Amino acid sequence: MSMFNILDISASAMHAQTVRLNTIASNMANVDSISSNSEETYRSKQPVFQTILEGSEHEPRGGVRVKEIVESQEPLKMEYAPNHPMANEEGYIFRPNVNVVEEMANMMSASRSYETNIEVMNTSKQLLLRTIQLGK
Amino acid sequence: MAESIFGIHEAAFRVRSARAEVLANNLANADTPNFKARDIDFRKAISEAHRDSERFEMARTHNKHISSENFSSTEAFLKYRLPTQPALDGNTVETHIEKAQFMENSIQQTATLEFLNSKIKGIRGALKGE
């Protein structure tokens, strides 16, 4: 058992939360990416987290990793706008299935989790430094 | 020899470092689906760790011999936390509880370090004859 494993665990969580924040940024940026068919329309991306049970060289035992990034299966928003330059033959445009309110809540949750892990890291750092100072 | 100087504090320090790791793991997995929060049963772990320090080691004359140290590890005292409000995705981490426990554990770890430090200071003083 390494004493510094705790820092790796927090770092892995911070990395996972950064990926989550990145997908949120991507979703928010593409909220108005309109397209004329359902295949080309941007779909909301969501990361799936997984606990690291058997760590490899680069990953700590325990900790968290991003297993995959899935695309939301919610239906796209079809809108009748025949005057829109992107409208198809029937006069419809497709909007991404990004839910802005959901993404905002997700962003707050991600940043809070990130902060929590920073706090854990700071406390652990102080304790490790005190352990090094032992007997001085 | 070192164990007789530091007494229970050496075992306590080891258990508290392990507990800090478990709690940090809970906080890291606060958003992982189906993750179950765990904690160390401190009382059991410390009594076992203390008993371990008094137990004598088996001789290992070959490097393939199994070390007797591994027979009791802190893994045996890992218990699952009972959630007050489990999430729909099967996650049982409650960040506020885990944070409070982590803070408590870090204060206790500081106290243990303080005890170890004063032991070392005392022995130093005795050696120097101050």
Side-chain angles (χ1 to χ4, degrees):
Chain A
M1 187 192 75
S2 158
M3 275 185 86
F4 298 96
N5 197 22
I6 189 163
L7 297 177
D8 293 337
I9 289 171
S10 297
S12 77
M14 279 157 77
H15 175 72
Q17 298 296 346
T18 311
V19 171
R20 188 172 166 204
L21 280 170
N22 273 332
T23 59
I24 292 164
S26 167
N27 292 344
M28 296 285 258
N30 282 294
V31 73
D32 284 322
S33 299
I34 293 156
S35 122
S36 45
N37 58 63
S38 62
E39 286 80 45
E40 282 175 23
T41 314
Y42 179 88
R43 280 159 208 273
S44 169
K45 290 179 180 26
Q46 305 292 338
V48 179
F49 290 177
Q50 186 186 41
T51 313
I52 304 166
L53 294 174
E54 288 296 325
S56 64
E57 276 176 66
H58 319 287
E59 288 172 322
R61 209 170 134 266
V64 61
R65 71 157 84 90
V66 178
K67 186 187 169 200
E68 57 182 339
I69 292 173
V70 295
E71 288 193 331
S72 168
Q73 294 303 309
E74 264 182 64
L76 298 167
K77 290 171 203 149
M78 265 173 86
E79 195 179 307
Y80 186 64
N83 295 327
H84 198 282
M86 295 293 279
N88 63 9
E89 295 88 65
E90 287 108 41
Y92 282 99
I93 55 167
F94 293 84
R95 287 180 185 278
N97 55 359
V98 177
N99 186 335
V100 181
V101 180
E102 218 168 76
E103 296 297 330
M104 285 301 281
N106 221 344
M107 183 186 80
M108 278 157 72
S109 169
S111 74
R112 287 282 175 271
S113 298
Y114 195 90
E115 279 170 27
T116 305
N117 283 292
I118 289 176
E119 273 174 50
V120 170
M121 251 187 167
N122 262 332
T123 312
S124 310
K125 187 191 95 181
Q126 279 169 7
L127 285 168
L128 286 170
L129 285 175
R130 289 195 71 150
T131 313
I132 294 167
Q133 296 278 316
L134 206 64
K136 277 189 186 161
Chain B
M1 178 58 195
E3 274 141 7
S4 61
I5 294 170
F6 296 128
I8 197 151
H9 301 304
E10 196 222 338
F13 186 67
R14 265 189 286 146
V15 175
R16 284 188 171 134
S17 323
R19 183 160 187 245
E21 211 169 282
V22 172
L23 294 174
N25 193 18
N26 288 346
L27 284 166
N29 283 290
D31 300 309
T32 310
N34 292 321
F35 180 83
K36 307 286 182 244
R38 295 188 298 180
D39 200 353
I40 284 180
D41 185 343
F42 187 80
R43 188 190 291 272
K44 268 193 187 165
I46 192 82
S47 63
E48 191 66 25
H50 196 52
R51 213 179 304 141
D52 266 9
S53 65
E54 286 165 359
R55 204 166 58 189
F56 52 87
E57 195 52 24
M58 277 195 276
R60 288 164 73 205
T61 50
H62 190 271
N63 60 3
K64 290 257 172 90
H65 284 172
I66 299 165
S67 163
S68 61
E69 270 180 77
N70 297 336
F71 283 129
S72 70
S73 69
T74 42
E75 297 276 324
F77 319 111
L78 276 177
K79 301 272 171 71
Y80 288 99
R81 204 188 287 296
L82 288 175
T84 53
Q85 282 179 307
L88 281 174
D89 63 356
N91 187 304
T92 63
V93 179
E94 282 157 300
T95 317
H96 51 286
I97 293 172
E98 301 300 332
K99 264 188 177 176
Q101 293 289 329
F102 187 81
M103 196 174 73
E104 187 190 311
N105 188 60
S106 64
I107 293 166
Q108 287 167 339
Q109 209 173 337
T110 315
T112 308
L113 281 170
E114 217 45 60
F115 278 123
L116 288 172
N117 234 342
S118 60
K119 282 262 179 190
I120 295 168
K121 277 208 183 105
I123 292 158
R124 271 200 171 175
L127 286 172
K128 280 184 186 163
E130 280 164 356

